[in-house]
Amino acid sequence: MEFDFSAILLGLTVLFGVVWGLDRLLFYTKRKARLDAAGEEYRDPAPVDWARSLFPVVLVVLVLRSFVAEPFRIPSGSMMPTLDVGDFILVNKFAYGLRMPAFNTKFVSLGEPKRGDVVVFRFPGYLCEDENGTMVRSGDISCADPHAPVPNQNWIKRVIGVPGDTIESHGDELLINGKPVAADLIGPYQGNAKRDESRLMMDYQATVWTEHLPRSDGKGTIDHMIARMPAYSMPFPLPNDKVPSKVPPGCYIVMGDNRYNSTDSRWWGCLPEQNLAGKAFLIWLSWKGPGAGWIDFSRIGRIIH
C-alpha cells in the first residue's frame, strides 16, 4: 500500500481543526458553565483535548513540509555518484512556486527549473498507446496494460532540457541546441564493495566524469559528476517515439546522473511541470546500513549541485 504523507497530514490537520473548532463553537460554553456551577474543575473531553493539543503541531509540520523544506530518502542508484542510496536529502518546496499540499496544485509561481537543477517530482508514468491510438500515462513499463495505475512515487533526476531546448542523446553523446556537452574523465568509479549498488558499478567498470552542462541563461556551465557504464545497458536515444527533439512548453527533460542505469525521460517522456515537488539542495544524513559503515559522516551537510 502506498501512503501519501502530505495527504495524511492534511487530513489530520482538518480533522483536529474541525473537532476543536466545533467544540468551541457549539459545546464549550455550556459545558464550562455546567462544571462551574457544580464547582468542578474544567477539563476538555479526551477527543477535544487531543485535537486541541495536536492541531497546532500537525499544522506547523504540514506548513513546513509543504512550503519550506521536505525530507526525502534516495531509494535507488540512478543519481550516483551525486546522490547515493540511503542519502537523506532536503528539498526546497518554494523554489518553483507554492503548491497545495496533497493536490500539488500551484497557487503562487516563484520560478521555473533551470538546466542542471536536481528536482524531486511525482512520477508521471510511462507513455503508452492505448487501444484507440491515444498516448496515455501508465504504470506498466512494458505498456502491455496502458491503463495500469501510475504508482504514487517521488522520483529524483537532473534537469537536462527546458522548454524550447533541442535535446539529442546517443550513448555517451549529449547535445543541447546542437552543441555537444563536454565532459572530463575523472577516473574509474570507486565505491563500497559491501553495497550492492556500488558493487554493480565496479563490476561493470563504471567511470566517473565531470559534465559541463550549459546554464539556461547561457552564462557558463553547471559542473557536476556523472557515471558512465556502457557495459551495463544502452539507454534509449533522444529523440525517440516518446520524446520529440524540441522540449514542449510546460515540460522538462530529466536524466539520472548514473546515465546507463536510470529510468528517466528517455524511457517515459518529458516531465510535466505540474508534477514538480521541489529542488534538492542538501544531504542531511547518509545511511549505509549494517556491514557497510552504518553512517557516512563525510556526506552529511553536502550541498547538492
Side-chain angles (χ1 to χ4, degrees):
M1 181 180 294
E2 296 168 356
F3 294 94
D4 187 331
F5 194 54
S6 294
I8 294 173
L9 279 176
L10 179 61
L12 289 175
T13 303
V14 172
L15 175 63
F16 294 151
V18 168
V19 170
W20 185 26
L22 286 179
D23 178 77
R24 284 302 185 265
L25 183 65
L26 301 177
F27 307 112
Y28 169 76
T29 302
K30 292 182 180 179
R31 182 172 61 247
K32 188 174 187 307
R34 185 175 65 253
L35 292 175
D36 287 346
E40 298 180 19
E41 180 183 358
Y42 178 80
R43 183 175 298 174
D44 281 325
V48 177
D49 187 49
W50 276 94
R52 176 181 57 81
S53 301
L54 293 176
F55 173 74
V57 177
V58 176
L59 178 62
V60 168
V61 174
L62 176 66
V63 170
L64 289 177
R65 291 182 87 258
S66 300
F67 306 128
V68 182
E70 182 173 3
F72 287 93
R73 180 182 181 275
I74 303 301
S76 74
S78 70
M79 283 296 292
M80 293 171 72
T82 304
L83 296 172
D84 210 346
V85 178
D87 282 350
F88 287 78
I89 64 171
L90 286 178
V91 174
N92 182 341
K93 296 303 293 286
F94 58 85
Y96 309 128
L98 301 181
R99 298 175 183 269
M100 288 293 294
F103 300 99
N104 212 43
T105 303
K106 183 188 289 188
F107 62 91
V108 176
S109 181
L110 297 174
E112 301 297 337
K114 297 178 176 60
R115 228 181 276 130
D117 286 1
V118 177
V119 297
V120 170
F121 56 92
R122 292 187 179 186
F123 175 53
Y126 302 98
L127 274 175
C128 299
E129 189 174 299
D130 68 9
E131 60 276 5
N132 299 316
T134 303
M135 297 301 288
V136 297
R137 293 284 185 175
S138 169
D140 183 0
I141 189 172
S142 71
C143 289
D145 180 6
H147 301 292
V150 177
N152 182 22
Q153 297 173 342
N154 289 308
W155 287 28
I156 183 167
K157 305 292 179 187
R158 187 180 298 275
V159 175
I160 301 298
V162 298
D165 281 346
T166 299
I167 305 295
E168 296 178 57
S169 176
H170 307 276
D172 290 341
E173 187 178 31
L174 175 63
L175 293 89
I176 298 178
N177 298 324
K179 297 180 179 180
V181 175
D184 300 323
L185 176 63
I186 297 175
Y189 171 79
Q190 297 178 344
N192 189 337
K194 295 180 179 180
R195 309 196 74 219
D196 293 341
E197 300 80 8
S198 294
R199 189 167 58 250
L200 181 146
M201 293 180 69
M202 290 186 286
D203 287 346
Y204 282 91
Q205 300 178 331
T207 52
V208 179
W209 301 68
T210 298
E211 183 176 74
H212 307 289
L213 197 65
R215 294 180 181 271
S216 298
D217 58 10
K219 299 178 181 179
T221 60
I222 299 291
D223 301 331
H224 64 99
M225 290 190 298
I226 62 170
R228 292 176 175 175
M229 194 166 47
Y232 179 70
S233 68
M234 183 58 65
F236 291 128
L238 294 178
N240 58 44
D241 61 341
K242 296 179 174 62
V243 186
S245 59
K246 188 172 183 178
V247 185
C251 267
Y252 299 88
I253 298 300
V254 296
M255 293 185 187
D257 287 347
N258 195 352
R259 290 291 163 80
Y260 286 82
N261 189 17
S262 172
T263 305
D264 47 41
S265 284
R266 294 169 290 183
W267 291 79
W268 41 259
C270 70
L271 167 66
E273 189 276 338
Q274 61 264 30
N275 286 62
L276 287 168
K279 179 182 179 181
F281 69 94
L282 179 73
I283 299 172
W284 62 273
L285 178 66
S286 187
W287 175 259
K288 302 306 177 188
W294 294 97
I295 296 176
D296 187 347
F297 290 97
S298 67
R299 298 181 65 81
I300 296 177
R302 185 174 297 184
I303 303 298
I304 299 171
H305 297 291

